[in-house]
Amino acid sequence: MTAMTPEQLTKQVLAAYAGTPDPRLRQLLTSLIGHLHAFAVETGLTRQEWLAGVEFLTATGQKCDDERQEFILLSDVLGFSSLVDLINASDGATESTVLGPFYVPGAPVRAMGEQIGRPEDGSPTLVHGRVTDRAGRPLNGATLDVWQTAGNGLYDTQDPQQPRFNLRGIFVTGPDGAYQFRTVRPVSYPIPVDGPVGGLLRGAGRHNWRAAHIHAIVSAPGCRPVTTHIFDAENPYLDSDTVFGVKDSLIKQFRPAGPGDPADVSFVTDMDFVLAAGEDG
Ligand SMILES: [Fe+2]
């Protein structure tokens, strides 16, 4: 009897899953098993390293609760979330980027132009633009679900001093596709490093700062929704965003307000959103 080789074992495992009835699931499992086995063979993975991996993933799951999603954070810092975005992008639509772990569904629907934060949250900023289809036609009834941190770099869900849904809101366009909302100029913030993902970043010698941004999920009837950000062009972390979320087309100037701008804001930024036709949600 000759000893079993890694190749023989991989073949045996793949054969065991070859009968998976759902063709897409079969494809995903076959590819995943193939790459996972190849990873262990290529690196000569030790038992200790295998166990460390199991413990790391266990801790990642245990760090998750209703408001903390450590697995999404892990996917983000590995660039995997951004990769999935790229693979699923629609030509001609606004580029998407990571959802991140801080999205909370159910934000209040606000009046057009309303301020989503409090005076103490930062520099008052007007964000405005239009939501159109790829031909430039305005989209009526488009929904912008926006969220961001306060000037202290914390989301409401991380900060007991902020009321629930602070710096979050939903805005719905009219027939002209135009939108505007008041917020504060976004700041850089560190992603949380008190969990396993923090250990990973420390081990890799990477910083944990995100380039300043406002999150938006933009959707409209009959269109593919886009999950994206508006980045501040003057931010120092655009080239080294810890979750690889920055795309050139999403970088916008936050210009000082001038004559013709509302008197109650210090900065103004323009951001148009383009949606591709397709399935809602
Ligand atoms: Fe964020």
Side-chain angles (χ1 to χ4, degrees), residues 99 102 147-149 155 189 210 213 215 229:
L99 173 69
F102 300 111
W147 70 104
Q148 69 171 84
T149 70
Y155 288 93
Y189 67 82
R210 291 235 47 212
H213 59 272
H215 290 263
H229 290 5

Side-chain angles (χ1 to χ4, degrees), residues 6-269:
E7 292 74 21
Q8 286 170 331
L9 177 66
T10 300
K11 245 185 174 173
Q12 196 181 325
V13 176
L14 287 172
Y17 287 89
T20 303
D22 181 87
R24 178 61 174 166
L25 180 60
R26 185 168 64 241
Q27 182 188 12
L28 292 172
L29 285 173
T30 301
S31 181
L32 179 66
I33 291 164
H35 283 91
L36 198 60
H37 282 225
F39 160 74
V41 170
E42 182 188 309
T43 58
L45 195 71
T46 67
R47 282 195 196 85
Q48 262 180 328
E49 289 163 344
W50 168 84
L51 185 60
V54 168
E55 286 169 351
F56 177 82
L57 292 174
T58 303
T60 301
Q62 286 169 343
K63 192 71 188 169
C64 295
D65 58 30
D66 287 349
E67 289 176 347
R68 175 77 179 261
Q69 230 305 353
E70 192 77 356
F71 262 111
I72 292 184
L73 203 60
L74 176 60
S75 169
D76 291 353
V77 301
L78 292 175
F80 199 64
S81 309
S82 273
L83 182 65
V84 173
D85 282 340
L86 287 180
I87 294 166
N88 289 283
S90 304
D91 280 350
T94 297
E95 286 191 281
S96 62
T97 189
V98 295
L99 173 69
F102 300 111
Y103 176 64
V104 179
V109 176
R110 300 184 189 271
M112 200 58 84
E114 195 176 329
Q115 169 65 252
I116 61 174
R118 306 165 300 170
E120 63 264 44
D121 290 324
S123 308
T125 297
L126 178 72
V127 182
H128 67 165
R130 284 200 319 155
V131 185
T132 68
D133 66 12
R134 286 184 291 185
R137 289 180 296 241
L139 290 171
N140 186 16
T143 296
L144 281 91
D145 192 342
V146 298
W147 70 104
Q148 69 171 84
T149 70
N152 63 2
L154 296 174
Y155 288 93
D156 58 344
T157 50
Q158 300 171 290
D159 181 2
Q161 304 305 316
Q162 293 181 47
R164 191 155 165 73
F165 292 117
N166 189 46
L167 290 160
R168 298 176 189 268
I170 293 176
F171 297 86
V172 184
T173 65
D176 61 359
Y179 78 88
Q180 59 171 307
F181 63 93
R182 284 167 173 76
T183 183
V184 296
R185 188 169 180 173
V187 296
S188 310
Y189 67 82
I191 63 164
V193 287
D194 59 336
V197 169
L200 173 67
L201 290 175
R202 281 188 294 277
R206 292 192 63 215
H207 74 66
N208 62 317
W209 287 88
R210 291 235 47 212
H213 59 272
I214 301 170
H215 290 263
I217 299 175
V218 186
S219 55
C223 293
R224 289 186 65 187
V226 168
T227 298
T228 193
H229 290 5
I230 306 169
F231 287 99
D232 185 334
E234 289 177 25
N235 191 262
Y237 294 109
L238 291 172
D239 292 332
S240 66
D241 185 39
T242 190
V243 303
F244 309 97
V246 180
K247 288 165 182 167
D248 288 349
S249 67
L250 305 178
I251 301 174
K252 299 292 169 186
Q253 290 292 336
F254 283 66
R255 63 170 174 81
D261 292 320
D264 62 341
V265 297
S266 303
F267 295 96
V268 177
T269 196

